């Protein structure tokens, strides 16, 4: 069993934490029904402790029809019976804590499930109508949507009801958007935050954090017009200031899902009285290119510095192409718009780069997110079309493969049925899944799992010190942290000489026979 890497009394644990993302449905299946559950997570806590992570972020585990993997919540205070019970969640939070691991829950404030009692009551003519965005349509008979907004999953952001009115959903039709100018919506979410903080969660991830507030006139979208009718509206900051006051009562922290290209606007969410952290999607989307990565790192650090917030470093999550696959393609950037079936992939190359990227991200100042299976080097799976569940696939008209390829149930035991996941998995596992199984990798000194375990164990040598770039040849990233530990990543075609050092702490792959750093390899050195 691993030792906690941070003292539990440390209130700023989140500034340097390694946070592991658990997609419950696909993590581990405790009751053998093919769906991951809380019993599965509890049974694997020793594994997570051995990995050395400081916290777990659970994607939504609430009661849900699962039309969008749980981001369609029917009751924010109940666990979906497929996953367990509230009592079991409380046990899990406490047990994780006994391993030194904190819990972060995922709150989805922009929308609810169409099965949420508020929406059902609204459809039945109740006053809850005001809590959503219902509008008559345009056109002679109201047959056209009230405006031209598009759903993030494709198609119009409006669905028409039998009574003729339309309702707004920035995601799937089963996810009606809430009306955040109504005080009851604010009150309810503040109560939900308290509900989970009272249950000893250490933090909250905020889904679609920049989308909640809409221009109440619901105007058409006009390219370049400021402010945007529903992205990053100034009114949001007041909401997050009141959330922060609640979090502070409990020493809780926030991590916002804020996809914004404008770094100055992004940093506003991280002012000292707002969110503690936000996901770094610039780094996640960045191609495997030394100059681009260095720019992304510099911009990240520069945008966080004035507000005093720590950066986060994220290589993948449950919405994007898995890292080893992305880095094994000709286009190594991530972009929803370019996802396609059948993209050629060199997995050996992608894996080598993903190993180097792991050492890069774990050496940078700030918090690091690891998405379940990333530590096993799982590739993006090709899901047969008939098994795909993700609405992103269907609303693209079937051209986008969707996000299920990164959500396949994990392989735990190479020689067990379903690679030790539990029952027959809700998404099919590829035939080679057992070769990635955690039990096999745990025995293999050269495996991705062993690399992650070592890296997370050694990582505290970097402390909380700032980053200083070192002179390096073109295509090589080299930096030091104030306490004399260096990280070098070679993205150039030629091997790179190592600077003078006293100890090689860890490498993502072997040095060449002349002791040089080969292409697509990273090392940590003590000077
Ligand atoms: C972002 C989540 O990460 C994604 O999985 C979900 O589909 C959307 N928000 C809508 O909630």
């Amino acid at each position: 069993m691993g030792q906690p890497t941070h003292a539990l009394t440390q209130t700023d644990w989140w500034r340097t934490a390694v946070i592991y993302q658990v997609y419950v449905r696909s993590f581990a299946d405790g009751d053998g029904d093919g769906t991951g559950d809380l019993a599965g997570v509890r049974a694997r806590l020793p594994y997570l402790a051995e990995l050395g992570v400081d916290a777990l972020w659970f994607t939504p585990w609430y009661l849900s029809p699962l039309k969008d993997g749980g981001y369609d919540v029917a009751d924010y205070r109940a666990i979906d019976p497929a996953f367990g019970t509230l009592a079991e969640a409380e046990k899990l939070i406490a047990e994780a804590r006994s391993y030194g691991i904190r819990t972060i829950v995922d709150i989805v404030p922009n929308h609810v499930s169409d099965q949420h009692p508020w929406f059902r009551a609204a459809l039945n003519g109740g006053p809850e109508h005001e809590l959503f965005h219902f509008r008559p349509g345009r056109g002679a008979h109201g047959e056209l949507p009230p405006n031209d907004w598009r759903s993030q999953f494709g198609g119009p952001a409006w669905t028409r009801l039998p009574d003729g009115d339309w309702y707004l959903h920035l995601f799937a039709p089963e996810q009606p958007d809430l009306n955040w100018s109504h005080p009851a919506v604010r009150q309810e979410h503040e109560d939900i935050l308290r509900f989970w903080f009272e249950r000893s969660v250490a933090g909250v991830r905020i889904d679609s954090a920049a989308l909640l507030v809409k221009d109440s006139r619901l105007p058409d979208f006009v390219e370049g017009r400021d402010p945007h009718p529903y992205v990053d509206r100034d009114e949001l900051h007041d909401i997050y200031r009141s959330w922060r006051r609640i979090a502070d009562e409990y020493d809780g922290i926030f991590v916002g899902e804020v996809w914004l290209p404008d770094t100055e606007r992004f940093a506003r969410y991280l002012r000292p009285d707002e969110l503690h952290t936000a996901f770094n999607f610039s780094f996640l989307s960045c191609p495997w290119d030394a100059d681009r990565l260095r720019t992304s790192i510099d911009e990240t650090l520069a945008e966080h510095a004035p507000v005093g917030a720590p950066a986060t470093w994220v290589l993948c999550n449950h919405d994007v192409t898995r890292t080893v696959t992305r880095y094994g393609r000709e286009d190594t950037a991530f972009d929803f718009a370019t996802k396609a079936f059948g993209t050629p992939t060199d997995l050996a190359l992608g894996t080598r780069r993903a190993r180097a990227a792991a050492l890069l991200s774990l050496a940078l100042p700030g918090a690091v997110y690891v998405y379940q299976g990333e530590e096993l080097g799982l590739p993006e799976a090709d899901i047969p079309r008939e098994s795909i569940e993700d609405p992103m696939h269907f609303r693209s008209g079937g051209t986008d493969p969707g996000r299920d390829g990164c959500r396949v149930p994990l392989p735990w035991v190479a020689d067990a049925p379903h690679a030790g996941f539990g029952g027959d998995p809700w998404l099919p596992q590829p035939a080679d899944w057992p070769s990635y199984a955690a039990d096999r990798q745990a025995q293999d000194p050269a495996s991705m799992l062993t690399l992650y375990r070592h890296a997370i164990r050694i990582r505290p040598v970097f402390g909380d010190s700032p980053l200083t770039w070192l002179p390096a040849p073109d295509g090589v990233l080299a930096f030091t942290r104030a306490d004399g530990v260096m990280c070098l990543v070679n993205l150039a075609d030629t091997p790179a000489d190592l600077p003078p050092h006293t100890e090689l702490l860890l490498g993502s792959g072997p040095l060449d026979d002349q002791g040089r750093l080969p292409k697509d390899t990273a090392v940590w050195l003590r000077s």
Side-chain angles (χ1 to χ4, degrees):
M1 188 186 304
Q3 292 300 309
T5 51
H6 289 275
L8 290 181
T9 49
Q10 195 185 318
T11 52
D12 57 357
W13 62 275
W14 48 277
R15 292 188 158 268
T16 55
V18 177
I19 299 168
Y20 186 93
Q21 180 189 351
V22 179
Y23 193 82
V24 182
R25 199 178 180 191
S26 299
F27 184 72
D29 170 17
D31 64 4
D33 66 355
T35 292
D37 47 36
L38 303 190
V41 181
R42 289 173 62 201
R44 296 291 175 186
L45 284 174
Y47 169 87
L48 296 165
E50 176 81 44
L51 184 57
V53 299
D54 301 295
L56 304 177
W57 151 34
F58 290 93
T59 50
W61 53 15
Y62 320 107
L63 185 71
S64 167
L66 295 177
K67 298 292 182 198
D68 179 24
Y71 285 94
D72 48 322
V73 181
D75 182 348
Y76 293 83
R77 298 176 182 80
I79 302 293
D80 195 279
F83 300 149
T85 61
L86 183 59
E88 200 168 11
E90 289 170 352
K91 251 190 225 159
L92 169 52
I93 294 165
E95 283 169 7
R97 193 65 188 233
S98 73
Y99 284 98
I101 300 175
R102 291 172 164 86
T103 295
I104 296 175
V105 293
D106 200 327
I107 295 292
V108 189
N110 181 66
H111 44 268
V112 295
S113 161
D114 61 353
Q115 300 306 309
H116 188 283
W118 277 3
F119 193 68
R120 294 170 69 116
L123 293 189
N124 286 328
E128 290 81 356
H129 203 258
E130 301 304 314
L131 307 178
F132 298 91
H133 301 282
F134 290 97
R135 290 288 187 286
R138 297 198 282 201
H141 308 286
E143 71 281 11
L144 299 172
N147 68 25
D148 65 355
W149 298 0
R150 310 286 297 168
S151 152
Q152 311 254 327
F153 292 160
W158 295 90
T159 288
R160 196 173 195 191
L161 293 163
D163 71 2
D165 263 3
W166 298 72
Y167 68 90
L168 176 69
H169 53 84
L170 290 182
F171 295 92
E174 296 86 355
Q175 295 166 295
D177 277 44
L178 288 167
N179 172 12
W180 271 88
S181 57
H182 197 293
V185 172
R186 282 186 71 150
Q187 184 60 52
E188 168 68 354
H189 281 82
E190 295 186 2
D191 290 352
I192 293 167
L193 291 177
R194 287 186 189 283
F195 179 89
W196 287 104
F197 283 135
E198 288 290 339
R199 278 159 184 79
S200 304
V201 306
V204 171
R205 180 238 186 215
I206 307 168
D207 186 69
S208 306
L211 301 182
L212 279 44
V213 177
K214 279 83 185 174
D215 181 335
S216 56
R217 295 164 301 147
L218 302 178
D220 279 343
F221 169 72
V222 178
E223 188 68 51
R225 183 183 289 166
D226 209 23
H228 192 287
Y230 59 84
V231 178
D232 183 34
R233 306 220 10 125
D234 284 344
E235 302 90 321
L236 283 164
H237 297 285
D238 183 51
I239 296 173
Y240 294 134
R241 285 196 189 98
S242 59
W243 285 27
R244 177 61 181 255
R245 288 192 289 274
I246 295 171
D248 283 347
E249 288 175 36
Y250 297 91
D251 270 340
I253 64 111
F254 292 118
V255 54
E257 189 205 15
V258 183
W259 292 82
L260 285 183
D262 180 330
T263 56
E264 189 274 328
R265 299 284 310 182
F266 173 86
R268 290 182 188 206
Y269 292 82
L270 301 176
R271 290 177 288 198
D273 58 348
E274 296 192 40
L275 309 183
H276 303 72
T277 54
F279 293 115
N280 185 346
F281 291 115
S282 139
F283 189 70
L284 178 151
S285 311
C286 189
W288 186 245
D289 172 273
D291 290 342
R292 298 282 296 274
L293 281 166
R294 181 169 170 159
T295 303
S296 172
I297 293 165
D298 279 341
E299 285 179 357
T300 298
L301 296 174
E303 84 202 13
H304 284 75
V307 284
T312 67
W313 307 102
V314 191
L315 291 172
C316 68
N317 64 28
H318 65 295
D319 291 330
V320 306
T321 309
R322 279 207 178 266
T323 318
V324 300
T325 301
R326 171 162 69 91
Y327 285 151
R329 291 179 168 173
E330 193 184 338
D331 178 2
T332 51
F334 175 76
D335 188 345
F336 284 108
T338 56
K339 285 188 78 181
F341 285 95
T343 310
T345 306
D346 177 345
L347 274 186
L349 174 66
T351 302
R352 203 159 59 241
R353 291 172 171 172
R355 293 174 64 88
L359 292 201
L360 169 63
S361 49
L362 286 160
L364 291 168
V368 177
Y369 281 80
V370 178
Y371 172 48
Q372 69 180 39
E374 191 177 349
E375 82 283 15
L376 301 176
L378 291 184
E380 186 84 1
D382 287 327
I383 308 293
R385 280 180 191 262
E386 64 278 11
S387 302
I388 297 181
E389 294 201 7
D390 183 16
M392 218 168 198
H393 168 69
F394 298 105
R395 289 186 65 88
S396 73
T399 53
D400 183 327
R403 301 165 294 178
D404 289 338
C406 66
R407 299 173 175 180
V408 175
L410 295 192
W412 291 99
V413 184
D415 295 329
H418 312 303
F421 172 66
D424 187 9
W426 69 277
L427 272 178
Q429 294 168 317
D432 63 351
W433 232 223
S435 65
Y436 293 96
D439 71 331
R440 190 168 286 181
Q441 294 205 34
Q443 309 306 320
D444 176 1
S447 72
M448 188 72 96
L449 179 59
T450 302
L451 180 72
Y452 265 90
R453 283 181 175 173
H454 286 162
I456 294 173
R457 198 164 302 145
I458 297 171
R459 183 171 183 267
V461 297
F462 291 108
D464 200 9
S465 357
L467 170 154
T468 309
W469 293 106
L470 297 170
D474 272 357
V476 176
L477 297 174
F479 59 86
T480 184
R481 306 281 303 274
D483 29 17
V485 185
M486 295 178 276
C487 173
L488 266 82
V489 191
N490 186 2
L491 294 92
D493 287 331
T494 46
D497 291 324
L498 295 185
H501 57 278
T502 57
E503 190 183 352
L504 194 157
L505 294 166
L506 191 60
S508 68
L511 301 178
D512 73 6
D513 49 15
Q514 294 169 55
R516 296 174 308 181
L517 186 65
K519 183 174 164 56
D520 295 326
T521 309
V523 278
W524 290 354
L525 305 173
R526 200 189 286 281
S527 54

